[in-house]
Amino acid sequence: MRSASVSRKTAETEISVSLSIDGSGEARIQTGVGFFDHMLELLTRHALFDVTVEAKGDLHVDQHHTVEDVGIALGQAFAQALGDKRGIRRYASMHLPMDETLSRVSIDISGRPFLVFRAAFTRDKIGAFDTELVREWFQAFATNAGITLHAETLYGDNNHHIAESLFKGLARALREACAVDPREGERVPSTKGAL
């Protein structure tokens, strides 16, 4: 089983995550930020990962530190769970429709973290959730997971649908890129021999 657990404690947050890549989509998420919990639950379900997140943060200040630090910890757990990446497909790209919205998410599990994020929200909040935190989470996750991640909403009007299509698109791309390629065998999918 490709799995890992990470704990992160700062003056602002206390985060505990566990992740199993070869799971069934089981989520146990408690961050204190309802919409964010929803995004992580659907990420877990559509990636078919098993994920537990327990987060306590300075929500009396705002949601930023909690969301970002969960991204850091979950990214670190992902990188640890994949290990040396032998046999994985490595690349994946997904067009994800959500009603009137269409997003494209492409990833390379490269060991070289990079984020291109192109999604415009027309409101500052979805419920109580700050929409600018969608990008912050993607940045924290990509950097700490060591992946190149391109996420773009091609079109859409509903802010909830935009956020959801990005998280679901990432989920399905991760599911594909982490899959073991039987033709690859025990090789690392790189001419360098390491990722």
Side-chain angles (χ1 to χ4, degrees):
M1 291 291 285
R2 298 177 293 175
S3 60
S5 296
V6 169
S7 294
R8 174 181 171 83
K9 185 173 182 177
T10 71
E12 299 163 340
T13 63
E14 187 173 347
I15 313 288
S16 176
V17 305
S18 64
L19 178 146
S20 175
I21 290 171
D22 303 306
S24 61
E26 185 176 324
R28 290 184 297 279
I29 313 291
Q30 293 183 328
T31 69
V33 183
F35 182 78
F36 182 48
D37 287 359
H38 176 48
M39 294 298 104
L40 294 178
E41 287 165 358
L42 60 84
L43 173 77
T44 299
R45 174 64 182 88
H46 291 282
L48 290 181
F49 294 167
D50 290 340
V51 175
T52 300
V53 176
E54 294 181 12
K56 296 178 183 175
D58 55 356
L59 296 179
H60 63 284
V61 176
D62 68 7
Q63 301 168 351
H64 186 111
H65 300 140
T66 299
V67 171
E68 182 177 37
D69 286 7
V70 168
I72 290 169
L74 202 53
Q76 290 171 348
F78 177 81
Q80 289 178 27
L82 269 186
D84 63 8
K85 306 173 189 75
R86 289 184 185 277
I88 66 168
R89 294 186 187 276
R90 178 178 168 178
Y91 298 99
S93 189
M94 172 61 60
H95 282 83
L96 200 295
M98 179 72 189
D99 295 347
E100 85 298 341
T101 299
L102 182 66
S103 292
R104 176 178 56 220
V105 179
S106 301
I107 63 172
D108 175 10
I109 302 176
S110 60
R112 295 185 310 277
F114 199 89
L115 175 68
V116 175
F117 187 89
R118 295 181 180 153
F121 293 94
T122 59
R123 293 177 14 213
D124 293 336
K125 292 188 179 288
I126 302 170
F129 183 78
D130 295 327
T131 52
E132 69 181 7
L133 295 180
V134 174
R135 186 191 191 286
E136 291 301 317
W137 185 87
F138 271 70
Q139 181 71 62
F141 179 78
T143 299
N144 289 275
I147 64 174
T148 298
L149 171 56
H150 292 243
E152 179 178 19
T153 297
L154 303 176
Y155 47 83
D157 298 314
N158 182 290
N159 290 274
H160 188 130
H161 295 167
I162 291 169
E164 188 161 335
S165 68
L166 290 165
F167 274 89
K168 283 181 176 176
L170 175 60
R172 293 303 298 241
L174 287 170
R175 179 173 164 179
E176 174 69 21
C178 291
V180 174
D181 185 343
R183 294 180 61 203
E184 196 66 68
E186 287 296 311
R187 295 182 304 180
V188 173
S190 171
T191 54
K192 298 174 187 173
L195 289 171

